[in-house]
Amino acid sequence: MNDPESSRLALLRSLERVQERDLTRTRTWIADEERREAERRVGEARRPPAPEWLIERGLDRTNIVAVHTSECWDPGKRARPATRAQAIEALRKQVPACSKCRPDTALGIEA
């Protein structure tokens, strides 16, 4: 009854069951990660392109504080997307160009 061979076999079968559960769990993790990666790629594909120009408004939201390019590293929290025509019009109305990104030179307008 106390056969060392059968107890060894029982231990190996138990180890096999544990490893099968671990493999199943690992495969689930892989499938979840593949799903998240696919969702991330779809999200990136659906993201609208960054605007080329930004217009920063003042605290009262009526006056324009500055004109920025999309590459500006400090556009401010109140910057909103703008068209090229809106950026040019703001610069012509003496709205200051951002000193960090110089949109007036990017637009070909002398300040």
Side-chain angles (χ1 to χ4, degrees):
M1 198 76 178
N2 229 354
D3 185 13
E5 287 297 317
S6 66
S7 63
R8 180 179 160 93
L9 184 59
L11 286 172
L12 288 172
R13 294 279 184 210
S14 176
L15 175 62
E16 180 183 37
R17 285 190 300 276
V18 168
Q19 289 178 334
E20 284 175 349
R21 278 195 311 262
D22 287 347
L23 182 59
T24 300
R25 184 175 53 225
T26 301
R27 286 180 175 154
T28 300
W29 290 342
I30 289 170
D32 290 345
E33 190 60 32
E34 287 172 339
R35 179 185 45 77
R36 280 191 292 273
E37 181 64 23
E39 289 172 355
R40 185 191 61 76
R41 282 193 303 268
V42 167
E44 284 180 359
R46 289 183 179 170
R47 183 175 296 136
E52 286 188 60
W53 309 101
L54 301 167
I55 292 182
E56 184 178 359
R57 302 248 176 217
L59 287 175
D60 63 1
R61 297 181 188 209
T62 57
N63 64 328
I64 298 175
V65 176
V67 178
H68 303 268
T69 64
S70 61
E71 289 90 25
C72 184
W73 57 271
D74 189 22
K77 293 181 180 179
R78 293 179 300 275
R80 298 291 176 254
T83 64
R84 177 182 172 87
Q86 290 170 327
I88 290 172
E89 184 62 27
L91 291 169
R92 286 193 178 136
K93 289 183 178 179
Q94 303 304 312
V95 173
C98 173
S99 62
K100 299 164 189 97
C101 63
R102 301 300 301 179
D104 51 345
T105 57
L107 286 166
I109 298 172
E110 290 299 320

